[in-house]
């Protein structure tokens, strides 16, 4: 098969000249390029110029969750064989990673080579702004451009109420497009189609957020199974059980993911900073360079809270995510872990000294 025919066959999945250049050494070995559509029990479906093939991933470091083959990877596949093996994957441009639910210090890669991270948030229940911030931190850290899609917008018929909800999320997501969308009547879909047509998008959110319904609307057919969410809390069972990569009819690629109950940060300090960019900007105006924004004099962040410029909820959420991320990083960094313990001891000593000073003042 010629390079031209390979290019035209794989272009709908995101193949471009840069990927072709990266694949050159493996082309010389007679291997086939392909994109991973889904992974299941150590095997994967790969879209190649010869069609979709089933391949074994055993050759690609199976014991490291950060280096296993995942949905969205571009891989080098054997041209034939039973079983057929994936020999390697090409260097990833972006990677969406969260911490694992285990007690080990590991990250779990959810999707690779993503251009847009679509965070689906249902308007059928009360907005959880803290969860949105958490998803956005991981999205920014991945290298993808986040987009928040407020699904089930048809359930908020009052235009003024819908506008206020959009504004609340926009305040929570600086620099991120926020799109109210109804998959039922099609409102807002045109804008979203224009966004996803420009590359690979991963669809993220909790169970019941309407991801499968949204995916079907973008695909123009009922490809993904849909289940009803509970009325009491808007949650649903996992309709999607694996991460699936699908070529969209209008151009672009969509990776649908199972609903994520837990979204742990994984070395996402830069992503957290991006989500709370206004706090990071204010921190640059603090009197002390290492200001913790707790009780220090000359703290521009606390001054913004006092004046009403910065909501208390935003600062508390920022502190929570920064602490969580620092702890995750410290689990794999002994030096940082020692520094954190030292800082805790210092703050404890300062607190005890302050209490002693107060007691001494009372005795006088």
């Amino acid at each position: 098969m010629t390079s031209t025919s390979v290019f035209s066959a794989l272009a709908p999945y995101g193949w471009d000249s840069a990927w072709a250049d990266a694949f050159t050494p493996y082309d010389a070995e007679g291997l086939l390029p392909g994109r991973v559509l889904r992974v299941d029990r150590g095997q994967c479906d790969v879209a190649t110029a010869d069609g979709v093939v089933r391949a074994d991933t055993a050759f690609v470091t199976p014991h490291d969750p950060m280096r296993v083959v995942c949905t969205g990877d571009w891989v080098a596949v054997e041209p034939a064989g039973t079983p057929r093996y994936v020999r390697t994957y090409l260097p990833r441009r972006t990677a969406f990673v969260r911490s694992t639910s285990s007690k080990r210090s590991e990250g779990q890669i959810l999707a690779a080579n993503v251009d847009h991270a679509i965070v689906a948030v249902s308007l059928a229940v009360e907005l959880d702004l803290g969860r949105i911030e958490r998803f956005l931190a991981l999205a920014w850290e991945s290298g993808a451009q986040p987009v928040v899609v407020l699904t089930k917008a048809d359930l908020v018929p009052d235009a003024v109420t819908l506008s206020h909800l959009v504004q609340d999320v926009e305040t929570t997501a600086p620099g991120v497009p926020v799109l109210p969308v109804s998959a039922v009547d099609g409102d807002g879909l045109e804008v979203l189609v224009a966004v996803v047509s420009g590359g690979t998008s991963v669809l993220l959110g909790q169970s019941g957020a309407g991801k499968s319904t949204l995916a079907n609307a973008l695909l123009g057919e009922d490809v993904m199974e849909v289940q009803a969410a509970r009325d009491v809390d808007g949650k649903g069972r996992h309709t999607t059980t694996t991460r699936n990569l699908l070529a969209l009819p209008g151009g672009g690629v969509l990776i649908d993911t199972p609903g994520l109950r837990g979204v742990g940060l994984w070395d996402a300090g830069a992503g957290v900073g991006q989500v709370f960019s206004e706090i990071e900007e204010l921190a640059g105006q603090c009197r002390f360079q290492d200001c913790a924004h707790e009780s220090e004099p000359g703290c521009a962040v606390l001054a913004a809270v006092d004046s009403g410029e910065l909501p208390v909820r935003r600062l508390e959420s920022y502190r929570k995510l920064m602490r969580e991320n620092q702890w995750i990083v410290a689990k794999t960094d002994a030096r940082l872990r020692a520094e954190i313990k030292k800082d805790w001891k210092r703050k404890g000593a300062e607190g005890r000294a302050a209490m002693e000073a107060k007691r001494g003042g009372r005795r006088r």
Side-chain angles (χ1 to χ4, degrees), residues 278-280 282-284 286 293 298-306 310 315:
E278 80 277 31
I279 296 180
E280 296 274 298
L282 285 167
C286 292
H293 322 306
C299 176
V301 174
L302 295 179
V305 171
D306 291 340
L310 177 67
L315 179 56

Side-chain angles (χ1 to χ4, degrees), residues 46-323:
V46 184
T48 72
D50 293 336
V52 177
V53 303
R54 188 75 168 164
D56 196 297
T57 65
F59 274 104
V60 188
T61 319
H63 303 299
D64 183 346
M66 293 288 284
R67 297 179 63 190
V68 297
V69 170
C70 76
T71 303
D73 271 327
W74 285 101
V75 295
V77 187
E78 292 176 344
T82 306
R84 181 180 291 195
Y85 287 97
V86 171
R87 287 292 177 177
T88 189
Y89 59 81
L90 301 184
R92 294 161 176 157
R93 293 178 181 174
T94 62
F96 193 93
V97 181
R98 68 169 176 175
S99 63
T100 60
S101 56
S102 69
K103 294 181 180 180
R104 294 177 295 176
S105 303
E106 293 178 339
Q108 178 190 23
I109 182 164
L110 299 180
N113 303 312
V114 172
D115 301 294
H116 299 100
I118 301 173
V119 180
V121 180
S122 173
L123 289 176
V125 293
E126 186 177 353
L127 290 175
D128 186 341
L129 299 179
R131 181 169 289 273
I132 294 173
E133 289 162 344
R134 179 177 291 273
F135 270 111
L136 291 176
L138 291 176
W140 280 121
E141 191 69 32
S142 76
Q145 166 65 52
V147 179
V148 176
V149 173
L150 301 179
T151 65
K152 308 181 184 183
D154 52 287
L155 298 181
V156 188
D158 181 64
V160 174
T161 301
L162 181 60
S163 176
H164 287 159
L165 291 170
V166 171
Q167 289 176 9
D168 286 344
V169 178
E170 286 176 338
T171 301
T172 300
V176 176
V178 179
L179 309 176
V181 171
S182 170
V184 174
D185 55 30
D187 284 351
L189 270 178
E190 286 188 6
V191 178
L192 183 57
V193 167
V195 171
V196 300
S197 65
T200 297
S201 302
V202 63
L203 194 51
L204 306 161
Q206 287 183 288
S207 296
K211 298 189 304 303
S212 295
T213 302
L214 188 60
N216 286 336
L218 292 171
L219 290 161
E221 55 182 320
D222 291 340
V223 174
M224 309 305 295
E225 183 184 354
V226 176
Q227 293 178 343
R230 298 190 301 242
D231 291 336
V232 64
D233 56 10
K235 294 181 180 179
R237 289 175 291 170
H238 291 321
T239 304
T240 304
T241 56
T242 59
R243 290 174 279 279
N244 302 282
L245 185 147
L246 305 156
L248 297 171
V253 174
L254 182 69
I255 299 176
D256 191 20
T257 66
L260 299 174
R261 289 193 181 94
V263 192
L265 301 184
W266 176 257
D267 198 3
V272 174
Q274 187 78 34
V275 175
F276 298 93
S277 56
E278 80 277 31
I279 296 180
E280 296 274 298
E281 185 176 344
L282 285 167
Q285 303 169 28
C286 292
R287 181 184 302 176
F288 303 111
Q289 191 173 5
D290 61 346
C291 184
H293 322 306
E294 293 178 352
S295 58
E296 296 86 348
C299 176
V301 174
L302 295 179
V305 171
D306 291 340
S307 68
E309 177 188 351
L310 177 67
V312 174
R313 190 207 66 80
R314 283 283 283 175
L315 179 56
E316 290 176 346
S317 184
Y318 172 75
R319 286 170 173 163
K320 178 181 178 180
L321 292 183
M322 287 297 284
R323 282 196 303 267

Side-chain angles (χ1 to χ4, degrees), residues 325-353:
N325 188 70
Q326 187 181 42
W327 178 244
I328 286 292
V329 174
K331 287 171 72 176
T332 58
D333 187 331
R335 182 183 58 81
L336 179 58
R337 191 160 58 244
E339 288 179 356
I340 291 175
K341 288 182 178 179
K342 182 179 179 181
D343 188 51
W344 286 348
K345 288 181 179 179
R346 177 183 62 79
K347 289 181 177 178
E350 290 175 351
R352 288 191 295 272

